[in-house]
Amino acid sequence: MHGALSRTLYRSLFRVISKKYVSEKYGAVLCSLLYRSGVDDHLDYDKLSSPSPSVTSSDQSTAAEGHSRLSPEEARDLTKSYSELKEMYIKNQSMEDFDESEYGVQYPTSPQHVILYRRLLREVMAGRHMNFPLQNSQLDTVADGTMGRLNRIIKREFDPTDRTSISKSYSDKERRDSAFIALNALNKKLSWAEDSLRLNDANDAHNTSAAARNVFPLSVYDHSFYLRSGTYLIAHPLLSGCFAKTVICILEHTEPRIDKSHEDTGDNDIQKHEDDENESIGGTYGLIVNKPLKVGVPNPGSQKTRDRMLRETIRQDCLPEGMKSAFAHSPVRNGGPVNLSIQMLSSLTAELESQLGIGKSVLPMNLDERQSNSCGNDLAMIKDTIRNAASNTDTAIYYGGDIFKASQAVIEEEVDEDSFSFLIGASCWEPGQLKSEIDRGYWLPCTGPPEIAFSGKFGEETEIDLWVAMMTALGKDEGRLAQLTKTSHFDDNASPCDEV
């Protein structure tokens, strides 16, 4: 790009990202406000940047009209499983009069300058949809973090002698229009955050008293260290919908397994049945732990709420008498959008559990022992802290227990009803789905005390939101990001940067 306008755009972009206040102190926080919906991730950018000469503009228009795709809302709906999204995508793709092989590429409805902008944004964010500050430090080198990549890409794309420039195959107008979009998106995020961050200078948002104790990040390098029971998932602050600002505890994770020890005998139905029994679908099962169900207090002019009780959550004719007698007034939390049935957690001593036989599985506390980036030389200290925390209690948290045995034990006064907590619904992922969401930046995995899952809070603190407390425990920048976004709604400021 040449000319005064291009030089002005170049200087303006660098003025935004090169402010000392931004780049040195809050660069990681502001970069975490950049958000992609991935609306064009299915496109082959290399082919689109130089369309085949044999395809006319009218051909492209016809192809675009016939080739619909998932809407941005559908693409970021995390309640849908991979198979459901695939079926929706295929259904949207179906058409009778269009042969994709004739063109060899799916043409988008967006203008070329928008495609260029989205392509560069994807490179800036290293292919992820969202970023936590910690993910930048774990997955990127310091020099190649989001701010570093943004700086380098702007220089590259405005340098007419750089042969690696992606935009060189686009017209000058398309490149300028793309730069205008980028400048607008960066300024929007900056103006949204800057005043709030300046206010926090006097009283730093990373308040250690508001941090959940014994909570440490898990490395995202190896999924086998976070896809397991006891891991907590912290939702990115810009994640919307039913998972907005949630803390999820993974209870179970299994990899798909197929027993191939049997030979295929063709039409042998008995053999097929035996093979089916040896197959494991796999997947991940967890619970949202920080979303209590609320009901309004019947008081004119009052907006006060209270916890919803079990007897108010389940129809009276569906609530067994034993459960009604034992747990009618027990509070209930929202565990997730899947399998809307009652989930029970129990807090019992090993001796009492052995006597009553209520619990099924113990919820462990995890630590990635190979983690070095976020723990550094403090890894041994962290492990000692966890051991000390565990030795200070003689109770364990159990899940998947027998709710009828629990009811009977409470009725017979063998155990107090406060030793049990209840949630309705669960959060489930198909094999590969949760790993993909973490890779895209939707969740940050961490370790934490099992008691957090049981109570939905940390320690005796009740006023501080658990999501904010756990974000604050994970690092200074995570704490600042949580303070900045904790009261924000999913408005235009928090919308994806690629929806233009």
Side-chain angles (χ1 to χ4, degrees), residues 94-113:
S94 63
M95 53 184 298
E96 296 180 358
D97 57 348
F98 176 69
D99 181 6
E100 185 173 349
S101 62
E102 181 180 346
Y103 303 104
V105 61
Q106 179 183 328
Y107 286 97
T109 57
S110 305
Q112 284 294 310
H113 70 279

Side-chain angles (χ1 to χ4, degrees), residues 323-344:
M323 288 179 60
K324 191 183 300 183
S325 299
F327 302 118
H329 297 91
S330 296
V332 180
R333 288 172 285 163
N334 174 18
V338 183
N339 185 23
L340 297 180
S341 59
I342 288 294
Q343 318 282 323
M344 182 182 76

Side-chain angles (χ1 to χ4, degrees), residues 17-32:
I17 67 171
S18 300
K19 288 185 178 181
K20 185 176 180 181
Y21 173 79
V22 171
S23 60
E24 291 188 2
K25 189 166 186 180
Y26 293 116
V29 176
L30 291 171
C31 283
S32 295

Side-chain angles (χ1 to χ4, degrees), residues 47-104:
K47 291 182 179 179
L48 286 171
S49 62
S50 51
S52 170
S54 61
V55 182
T56 65
S57 59
S58 61
D59 290 332
Q60 293 186 26
S61 176
T62 302
E65 291 174 3
H67 247 294
S68 61
R69 56 176 181 265
L70 293 181
S71 69
E73 292 74 18
E74 291 171 329
R76 63 171 178 253
D77 184 358
L78 300 188
T79 64
K80 293 285 194 302
S81 69
Y82 270 9
S83 58
E84 289 174 314
L85 288 172
K86 184 178 179 181
E87 288 176 5
M88 293 166 61
Y89 185 77
I90 293 174
K91 182 179 179 181
N92 289 347
Q93 293 287 80
S94 63
M95 53 184 298
E96 296 180 358
D97 57 348
F98 176 69
D99 181 6
E100 185 173 349
S101 62
E102 181 180 346
Y103 303 104

